[in-house]
Amino acid sequence: MEIKKFKVFTHIIKMIGIETSNTSFYEKIISSIGSIIGIYCSYIITSSALTDPHSHILFTSLGATAVLIFVTPHSALSQPWNIVCGHIFSAVVGYLALLYIPDVILASSLAVGGAIVIMYLSRSIHPPGAATALFIILSGQEHSFNFALIFEVLSFNLVVILISGVIFNNLFYWRRYPAYLYFHSLHSENKSNNLSHEDFSAALIHLDSYIDVSSEELALIFDLALDNAAQNINKSKIPVNKNCYYSNGALGKNWSVREVRDIDDKKVTYKTVVGNTPSVSKNCSIKEFQNWARLEVMAKNNTWVKKGVLLNRAGCEST
């Protein structure tokens, strides 16, 4: 009964989209500081550069843009083309909807939907852009609405926060912005797989859904994973020790991690702590456990990594 409840809880957590973050606390603080600097600079510089008293504004959608630039600088949604074109094209769509559709609710709905279509067609998907389109509609209800001024403020906001993102992110060697600078600098020595760039492109096309990663990035991640997997090859039996954690090294639903609770000359007492079959303590022979176990692992940054191996910022291993 306990196992069934755990399974239901696990499925609920996955269904509503709660994921563990593998970033360190230091990385979280850096992202927060970057966002503070980006928004602050955008407001100060825009206000100083534009003399119109109504120019002392920030687009609220810029807050979401700051999250993408400073939290996920390597994301496809965070790149300069997506940011500039996503906002600008969406603003134009919003303005056209404001001019020709008198009903506010209908105009708002069509502006957001139209912005999404334009961003898709221009390959500039940037979620905050839809918020910009909506902002234009709602701001346009004011008698003092001036689209030329709004467009000027938006342009200043985008230029400043982009420059802030480039300068700030490149202060840290594990961050590069635009993302091309990061992925272009990484190389994998693994040539043993038969997969090609075209295979990853075909897979992304087959999914027929927007995936926030390019085929080049996906291929590089896969190669780095293979490089890491090459370190796992160990023909000898893994020594089993009490209070240690072991993984079967499988993928997807077959992956599991066990904690060794006790061990004697004949049997191992363990508990499955990660996997589709969490359990109370169970027993098996030492040989059976060693045949199952592929790696000794440890918990680090809310995930599981091989024990004795530290991953550096470049994604490489050091012992």
Side-chain angles (χ1 to χ4, degrees):
M1 187 66 180
E2 181 182 347
I3 297 175
K4 290 183 178 179
K5 287 182 179 179
F6 188 90
K7 285 184 176 180
V8 171
F9 179 74
T10 301
H11 285 306
I12 291 175
I13 292 297
K14 292 181 178 180
M15 189 175 296
I16 62 179
I18 297 179
E19 292 289 343
T20 56
S21 173
N22 295 332
T23 58
S24 65
F25 180 75
Y26 179 62
E27 176 69 9
K28 293 177 175 66
I29 294 299
I30 288 177
S31 299
S32 178
I33 293 173
S35 298
I36 292 171
I37 293 173
I39 294 297
Y40 182 83
C41 291
S42 296
Y43 184 89
I44 294 299
I45 295 177
T46 300
S47 301
S48 302
L50 302 179
T51 56
D52 192 295
H54 295 94
S55 66
H56 291 239
I57 64 172
L58 277 177
F59 272 71
T60 52
S61 55
L62 204 68
T65 294
V67 172
L68 289 171
I69 292 177
F70 297 103
V71 177
T72 60
H74 303 146
S75 165
L77 301 175
S78 310
Q79 301 316 298
W81 172 264
N82 297 68
I83 290 173
V84 174
C85 295
H87 278 288
I88 297 297
F89 292 164
S90 296
V92 172
V93 170
Y95 183 59
L96 292 175
L98 176 67
L99 288 179
Y100 297 107
I101 304 174
D103 183 80
V104 174
I105 298 176
L106 182 59
S108 299
S109 303
L110 291 176
V112 171
I116 292 173
V117 171
I118 294 299
M119 286 190 287
Y120 256 126
L121 295 176
S122 60
R123 298 186 178 184
S124 61
I125 290 289
H126 186 63
T132 294
L134 189 59
F135 174 84
I136 297 295
I137 298 294
L138 300 179
S139 299
Q141 307 308 308
E142 302 292 332
H143 295 295
S144 59
F145 179 78
N146 183 338
F147 182 72
L149 175 62
I150 291 293
F151 190 83
E152 190 175 18
V153 170
L154 175 61
S155 300
F156 265 93
N157 285 175
L158 295 178
V159 169
V160 174
I161 202 166
L162 274 174
I163 293 175
S164 301
V166 170
I167 295 174
F168 183 84
N169 283 318
N170 286 285
L171 293 176
F172 308 94
Y173 68 88
W174 63 91
R175 285 171 169 245
R176 286 293 178 266
Y177 186 77
Y180 174 78
L181 299 177
Y182 177 76
F183 287 98
H184 184 66
S185 65
L186 293 180
H187 301 281
S188 171
E189 299 300 325
N190 194 302
K191 305 298 180 183
S192 61
N193 68 84
N194 295 319
L195 294 174
S196 66
H197 168 80
E198 290 75 17
D199 293 322
F200 286 98
S201 297
L204 291 175
I205 293 172
H206 179 73
L207 288 174
D208 196 23
S209 180
Y210 189 86
I211 307 296
D212 189 18
V213 64
S214 69
S215 55
E216 293 86 356
E217 295 163 352
L218 188 60
L220 178 57
I221 291 169
F222 184 81
D223 273 349
L224 290 174
L226 289 177
D227 290 339
N228 184 66
Q231 306 297 323
N232 297 345
I233 300 175
N234 186 2
K235 296 182 180 179
S236 60
K237 297 292 184 181
I238 295 177
V240 180
N241 298 304
K242 184 179 178 180
N243 298 326
C244 291
Y245 296 87
Y246 300 86
S247 166
N248 62 351
L251 297 174
K253 294 181 178 180
N254 296 321
W255 173 61
S256 64
V257 174
R258 294 176 179 176
E259 176 190 6
V260 174
R261 294 295 185 88
D262 197 10
I263 184 171
D264 56 31
D265 293 337
K266 295 183 178 180
K267 70 176 186 300
V268 175
T269 302
Y270 69 88
K271 180 179 180 179
T272 302
V273 294
V274 177
N276 283 334
T277 57
S279 64
V280 294
S281 296
K282 291 185 176 182
N283 299 319
C284 70
S285 68
I286 295 177
K287 183 178 181 180
E288 287 176 333
F289 192 91
Q290 287 180 321
N291 288 337
W292 171 88
R294 184 179 176 190
L295 305 165
E296 184 176 355
V297 296
M298 63 181 182
K300 184 176 179 62
N301 293 341
N302 296 320
T303 189
W304 294 92
V305 297
K306 290 183 294 183
K307 189 173 182 179
V309 175
L310 299 178
L311 296 180
N312 61 32
R313 292 287 184 178
C316 302
E317 293 186 347
S318 59
T319 56

